[in-house]
Amino acid sequence: MLRKKILAVGAAAMLAMGLAACGNSDTGDKAADDGKIVLGFSQVGAESGWRTANTISIKESATKAGIELKFDDAQQKQENQIKAIRNFIQQKVDVIAFSPVVESGWDTVLKEAKDAKIPVILTDRAVDSQDTSLYKTFIGSDFVKEGKLAGEWLVKETAAATGPVNIVELQGTTGSAPANDRKKGFADAIAGSPNLKVIASQTGDFTRAGGKAVMEQFLKANPKIDVLFAHNDDMGLGALEAITAAGKVPGKDIKIITIDAVKDGMQALADGKFNFIAECSPLLGPQLMDLVKRVKAGETIPTRILTEEGTFTPEQAKAALPTRAY
Ligand code: AHR
């Protein structure tokens, strides 16, 4: 059984956690006056099982760490995240953390936070700002590696294929770090295998509904699809419905590779409907709270903190499911 292990690059041991309640939907105007650290967190949305698990991890960890959490759900819109960050600045929170929905367009608001002397921590997704002094650290997965692991599995799986292998790709949210990076990692991994061809690639916005709708289009437009590479489990699960409705057998007629390894995805893998999953851990809360405390204490922290990922085959998914945390 593969076990997920979180690796904090160069980080010291976790700080002891205090116990206190948090106010995670708090939209009040004032930072805490009871000595608690106040963290403003802007979440991408609730687009996937991964995101739900990530939100729970952050809320539960804040409570355990005795950190007052001001939580905002941006509903997958950058303008909502910018507004939330400006609110946090106005409220004079101690630290701001956010998972940027897209990579570009953050410099102005991050500069505002810097000018207000409020440290910013990026979680899960990166920004493309050239000025890295605008944030203290970025904690999250290596999305390029996830795409690469997916592509490498396919190269091995199809090593004996003689004719062309037609691949369709369901991309994540356009302009987001995981969509950009997973696409790149996968493309790099299959580049040396000319018979592996991505014949269609389109965004499904990381949602089940998006995955289903785009897969329906793919199936209508392409009589021969051998492989689906979906940038997350949820889009793969939506695509399953479209594939079944088209009279094809998922996992057999069309091989399915996804990323995340949330419970529903792992169940589909264990059932033979998916063929391979590269893992992406959403359990970033405990490390984030540790970093918040250290930043608030003025400590120097590593600028990049990586989450170590595994991969799953159907057999490994069967073994892992009973104890899967998310
Ligand atoms: O940023 C992480 C990605 O966002 C997850 O892979 C996906 O499921 C989520 O929506």
Side-chain angles (χ1 to χ4, degrees):
M1 180 179 78
L2 280 183
R3 293 192 62 214
K4 170 175 51 56
K5 192 176 69 178
I6 303 297
L7 178 69
V9 177
M14 297 281 284
L15 290 178
M17 290 176 172
L19 283 173
C22 76
N24 37 17
S25 293
D26 186 355
T27 51
D29 286 341
K30 288 176 80 182
D33 50 13
D34 57 3
K36 272 191 196 171
I37 297 174
V38 180
L39 168 67
F41 185 86
S42 170
Q43 179 60 289
V44 169
E47 74 281 4
S48 63
W50 188 100
R51 191 63 55 195
T52 304
N54 180 247
T55 292
I56 291 170
S57 171
I58 283 159
K59 288 185 174 178
E60 287 183 352
S61 307
T63 303
K64 279 192 196 146
I67 288 173
E68 181 175 330
L69 180 68
K70 292 178 184 289
F71 183 91
D72 184 87
D73 176 340
Q75 299 178 353
Q76 286 188 279
K77 290 197 173 71
Q78 183 175 32
E79 67 258 33
N80 290 347
Q81 285 201 299
I82 291 175
K83 209 169 131 197
I85 293 168
R86 289 199 168 122
N87 280 338
F88 294 148
I89 295 171
Q90 225 173 17
Q91 291 169 39
K92 299 187 171 42
V93 301
D94 295 304
V95 180
I96 292 172
F98 77 117
S99 175
V101 62
V102 291
E103 286 192 279
S104 305
W106 298 103
D107 287 36
T108 305
V109 74
L110 289 180
K111 177 97 179 25
E112 289 167 25
K114 190 179 175 189
D115 290 346
K117 300 198 174 5
I118 301 177
V120 172
I121 297 175
L122 304 177
T123 76
D124 163 38
R125 297 183 181 181
V127 298
D128 64 4
S129 302
Q130 295 303 305
D131 182 358
T132 52
S133 77
L134 294 176
Y135 53 90
K136 293 286 175 197
T137 187
F138 164 38
I139 171 176
S141 308
D142 181 341
F143 296 136
V144 176
K145 185 174 166 200
E146 291 166 355
K148 193 164 169 271
L149 289 169
E152 285 172 353
W153 177 84
L154 185 62
V155 169
K156 275 201 195 121
E157 182 69 14
T158 55
T162 44
V165 176
N166 290 346
I167 305 163
V168 294
E169 179 179 32
L170 281 168
Q171 295 180 37
T173 302
T174 304
S176 69
N180 293 341
D181 293 353
R182 288 171 184 169
K183 185 173 174 47
K184 181 185 180 327
F186 185 80
D188 288 351
I190 66 167
S193 307
N195 60 327
L196 300 186
K197 290 186 175 36
V198 178
I199 56 166
S201 181
Q202 209 176 299
T203 181
D205 210 11
F206 280 131
T207 66
R208 283 193 197 200
K212 183 178 176 197
V214 177
M215 192 69 205
E216 281 167 359
Q217 292 170 29
F218 284 163
L219 286 160
K220 272 187 200 138
N222 303 283
K224 182 181 179 291
I225 297 174
D226 302 302
V227 176
L228 163 65
F229 170 45
H231 288 192
N232 78 344
D233 287 343
D234 278 79
M235 291 190 295
L237 291 164
L240 279 185
E241 293 178 38
I243 292 168
T244 309
K248 293 185 189 285
V249 182
K252 292 200 169 64
D253 296 335
I254 299 179
K255 303 261 188 224
I256 301 179
I257 308 165
T258 68
I259 292 174
D260 275 356
V262 295
K263 268 187 189 158
D264 287 354
M266 291 284 272
Q267 189 60 59
L269 184 60
D271 294 343
K273 294 175 180 168
F274 285 0
N275 303 82
F276 185 77
I277 302 181
E279 185 180 37
C280 179
S281 173
L283 305 182
L284 302 176
Q287 275 184 299
L288 173 61
M289 299 312 148
D290 176 49
L291 289 167
V292 166
K293 288 182 176 180
R294 292 170 62 192
V295 163
K296 175 69 178 143
E299 282 182 41
T300 304
I301 55 170
T303 53
R304 177 73 169 104
I305 297 169
L306 265 180
T307 309
E308 199 174 85
E309 327 279 10
T311 59
F312 293 93
T313 60
E315 289 315 311
Q316 289 165 331
K318 272 181 214 158
L321 259 172
T323 54
R324 194 78 183 148
Y326 54 90

Coordinates of all heavy atoms in Angstrom, one line a residue, residues 199-235:
I199 N -5.6 14.1 -29.4 CA -6.4 14.5 -30.6 C -7.4 15.6 -30.2 O -8.0 16.3 -31.1 CB -7.2 13.3 -31.2 CG1 -8.0 12.6 -30.2 CG2 -6.2 12.3 -31.9 CD1 -9.1 11.6 -30.8
A200 N -7.7 15.8 -28.9 CA -8.6 16.9 -28.5 C -8.2 17.2 -27.0 O -7.9 16.3 -26.2 CB -10.0 16.4 -28.6
S201 N -8.3 18.5 -26.7 CA -7.9 18.9 -25.3 C -8.7 20.2 -25.0 O -8.7 21.2 -25.7 CB -6.4 19.2 -25.3 OG -6.0 19.6 -24.0
Q202 N -9.5 20.1 -24.0 CA -10.4 21.2 -23.7 C -10.7 21.3 -22.1 O -10.6 20.3 -21.5 CB -11.8 20.9 -24.3 CG -12.5 22.2 -24.7 CD -13.8 21.8 -25.5 OE1 -13.7 21.2 -26.5 NE2 -14.9 22.2 -24.9
T203 N -11.0 22.5 -21.7 CA -11.3 22.6 -20.2 C -12.6 22.0 -19.8 O -13.6 22.2 -20.5 CB -11.1 24.0 -19.7 OG1 -11.3 24.0 -18.3 CG2 -12.1 25.0 -20.4
G204 N -12.6 21.4 -18.6 CA -13.9 20.9 -18.0 C -14.0 21.6 -16.6 O -14.8 21.3 -15.8
D205 N -13.1 22.6 -16.4 CA -13.1 23.5 -15.2 C -13.1 22.7 -13.9 O -13.5 23.2 -12.9 CB -14.4 24.3 -15.3 CG -14.2 25.7 -14.6 OD1 -13.1 26.0 -14.3 OD2 -15.2 26.4 -14.3
F206 N -12.5 21.5 -13.9 CA -12.3 20.7 -12.7 C -13.6 20.2 -12.1 O -13.6 19.8 -10.9 CB -11.5 21.5 -11.6 CG -10.0 21.5 -11.8 CD1 -9.3 22.7 -11.7 CD2 -9.3 20.4 -12.0 CE1 -7.9 22.8 -11.9 CE2 -7.9 20.4 -12.2 CZ -7.2 21.6 -12.1
T207 N -14.7 20.3 -12.8 CA -16.0 19.9 -12.2 C -16.5 18.6 -12.9 O -16.2 18.4 -14.1 CB -17.1 21.0 -12.4 OG1 -17.4 21.2 -13.8 CG2 -16.7 22.3 -11.7
R208 N -17.4 17.9 -12.2 CA -18.0 16.7 -12.8 C -18.9 17.1 -14.0 O -18.8 16.4 -15.1 CB -18.9 16.0 -11.8 CG -18.1 15.2 -10.8 CD -18.9 14.2 -10.0 NE -18.1 13.9 -8.9 CZ -18.3 12.8 -8.1 NH1 -19.3 12.0 -8.4 NH2 -17.5 12.5 -7.1
A209 N -19.7 18.1 -13.8 CA -20.6 18.6 -14.9 C -19.8 19.0 -16.1 O -20.1 18.6 -17.3 CB -21.4 19.7 -14.4
G210 N -18.7 19.7 -15.9 CA -17.8 20.1 -17.0 C -17.2 18.9 -17.7 O -17.1 18.8 -19.0
G211 N -16.7 17.9 -16.9 CA -16.1 16.7 -17.5 C -17.1 15.9 -18.3 O -16.8 15.5 -19.4
K212 N -18.3 15.8 -17.9 CA -19.3 15.1 -18.6 C -19.7 15.8 -19.9 O -19.7 15.1 -21.0 CB -20.6 15.0 -17.7 CG -21.7 14.1 -18.4 CD -22.9 14.0 -17.5 CE -24.0 13.2 -18.2 NZ -25.3 13.4 -17.6
A213 N -19.9 17.1 -19.9 CA -20.3 17.8 -21.1 C -19.2 17.8 -22.1 O -19.5 17.6 -23.3 CB -20.6 19.3 -20.7
V214 N -18.0 18.0 -21.7 CA -16.9 18.0 -22.7 C -16.6 16.6 -23.3 O -16.4 16.5 -24.5 CB -15.6 18.7 -22.1 CG1 -14.5 18.6 -23.1 CG2 -15.9 20.1 -21.7
M215 N -16.7 15.6 -22.4 CA -16.5 14.2 -22.9 C -17.6 13.9 -23.9 O -17.3 13.2 -24.9 CB -16.5 13.3 -21.7 CG -16.1 11.9 -22.1 SD -14.3 11.8 -22.5 CE -14.2 10.4 -23.6
E216 N -18.8 14.3 -23.7 CA -19.9 14.1 -24.7 C -19.5 14.7 -26.1 O -19.7 14.0 -27.1 CB -21.2 14.7 -24.2 CG -21.9 13.9 -23.2 CD -23.1 14.7 -22.4 OE1 -23.3 15.9 -22.8 OE2 -23.7 14.1 -21.6
Q217 N -19.0 15.9 -26.0 CA -18.5 16.5 -27.3 C -17.4 15.7 -27.9 O -17.3 15.5 -29.1 CB -18.0 17.9 -27.1 CG -19.1 18.9 -26.7 CD -18.4 20.2 -26.2 OE1 -17.3 20.6 -26.7 NE2 -19.1 20.9 -25.3
F218 N -16.4 15.3 -27.1 CA -15.3 14.5 -27.6 C -15.8 13.3 -28.3 O -15.3 12.9 -29.4 CB -14.4 14.1 -26.5 CG -13.5 15.2 -25.9 CD1 -12.9 15.0 -24.7 CD2 -13.2 16.4 -26.6 CE1 -12.0 16.0 -24.1 CE2 -12.4 17.3 -26.1 CZ -11.8 17.2 -24.8
L219 N -16.7 12.6 -27.6 CA -17.2 11.3 -28.2 C -18.0 11.5 -29.5 O -17.9 10.7 -30.4 CB -18.1 10.6 -27.1 CG -17.4 10.0 -25.9 CD1 -18.3 9.8 -24.8 CD2 -16.7 8.7 -26.3
K220 N -18.7 12.6 -29.6 CA -19.4 12.9 -30.8 C -18.5 13.2 -32.0 O -18.7 12.7 -33.1 CB -20.4 14.1 -30.6 CG -21.7 13.7 -30.1 CD -22.7 14.8 -30.1 CE -23.8 14.5 -29.1 NZ -24.2 15.6 -28.3
A221 N -17.4 13.9 -31.7 CA -16.5 14.4 -32.7 C -15.4 13.4 -33.1 O -14.8 13.5 -34.2 CB -15.8 15.7 -32.3
N222 N -15.2 12.4 -32.2 CA -14.1 11.5 -32.5 C -14.5 10.0 -32.4 O -14.7 9.5 -31.3 CB -12.9 11.7 -31.5 CG -12.5 13.2 -31.5 OD1 -11.7 13.6 -32.3 ND2 -12.9 14.0 -30.5
P223 N -14.6 9.3 -33.5 CA -15.0 7.9 -33.5 C -14.1 7.0 -32.7 O -14.5 6.0 -32.1 CB -15.2 7.5 -35.0 CG -14.4 8.6 -35.7 CD -14.4 9.8 -34.9
K224 N -12.8 7.3 -32.7 CA -11.8 6.4 -32.0 C -11.1 7.2 -30.9 O -10.2 7.9 -31.2 CB -10.8 5.8 -33.1 CG -9.8 4.9 -32.4 CD -8.9 4.4 -33.5 CE -7.8 3.4 -32.9 NZ -6.8 4.0 -32.0
I225 N -11.5 6.9 -29.7 CA -10.8 7.5 -28.5 C -10.3 6.3 -27.7 O -11.1 5.4 -27.3 CB -11.8 8.3 -27.7 CG1 -12.3 9.5 -28.4 CG2 -11.0 8.8 -26.4 CD1 -13.3 10.4 -27.7
D226 N -9.0 6.2 -27.5 CA -8.4 5.1 -26.7 C -8.2 5.4 -25.3 O -8.2 4.6 -24.4 CB -7.1 4.7 -27.4 CG -7.3 4.3 -28.9 OD1 -8.1 3.4 -29.1 OD2 -6.6 4.9 -29.7
V227 N -7.9 6.7 -25.0 CA -7.4 7.1 -23.7 C -8.0 8.5 -23.3 O -8.1 9.4 -24.2 CB -5.9 7.2 -23.6 CG1 -5.4 7.7 -22.2 CG2 -5.2 5.9 -23.9
L228 N -8.5 8.6 -22.1 CA -8.8 9.9 -21.5 C -7.8 10.2 -20.4 O -7.6 9.5 -19.5 CB -10.2 9.9 -20.9 CG -10.6 11.0 -20.0 CD1 -10.6 12.4 -20.7 CD2 -11.9 10.8 -19.3
F229 N -7.2 11.4 -20.5 CA -6.4 12.0 -19.4 C -7.2 13.2 -18.9 O -7.4 14.2 -19.5 CB -5.0 12.4 -19.9 CG -4.2 13.2 -18.9 CD1 -4.2 12.8 -17.6 CD2 -3.6 14.4 -19.3 CE1 -3.5 13.5 -16.6 CE2 -2.8 15.1 -18.3 CZ -2.8 14.7 -17.0
A230 N -7.7 13.0 -17.6 CA -8.5 14.1 -17.0 C -7.6 14.7 -15.9 O -7.0 13.9 -15.1 CB -9.7 13.5 -16.4
H231 N -7.6 16.0 -15.8 CA -6.7 16.7 -14.9 C -7.2 16.5 -13.4 O -6.5 17.0 -12.5 CB -6.6 18.2 -15.2 CG -5.7 18.5 -16.4 ND1 -5.3 19.7 -16.7 CD2 -5.2 17.6 -17.4 CE1 -4.6 19.7 -17.8 NE2 -4.5 18.4 -18.3
N232 N -8.4 16.0 -13.2 CA -8.7 15.6 -11.8 C -9.8 14.5 -11.8 O -10.4 14.2 -12.9 CB -9.2 16.8 -11.0 CG -10.6 17.3 -11.2 OD1 -11.2 17.0 -12.2 ND2 -11.1 18.1 -10.3
D233 N -10.0 13.9 -10.7 CA -10.9 12.8 -10.5 C -12.3 13.2 -10.9 O -13.0 12.5 -11.6 CB -11.0 12.3 -9.1 CG -9.7 11.5 -8.7 OD1 -9.0 11.1 -9.5 OD2 -9.5 11.3 -7.4
D234 N -12.7 14.4 -10.5 CA -14.1 14.8 -10.7 C -14.5 14.9 -12.2 O -15.5 14.4 -12.6 CB -14.4 16.1 -10.0 CG -14.7 15.9 -8.5 OD1 -13.8 15.8 -7.8 OD2 -15.9 15.9 -8.2
M235 N -13.6 15.4 -13.0 CA -13.9 15.5 -14.4 C -13.9 14.1 -15.0 O -14.7 13.7 -15.9 CB -12.9 16.3 -15.1 CG -13.0 17.8 -14.8 SD -12.0 18.8 -15.9 CE -10.3 18.3 -15.4

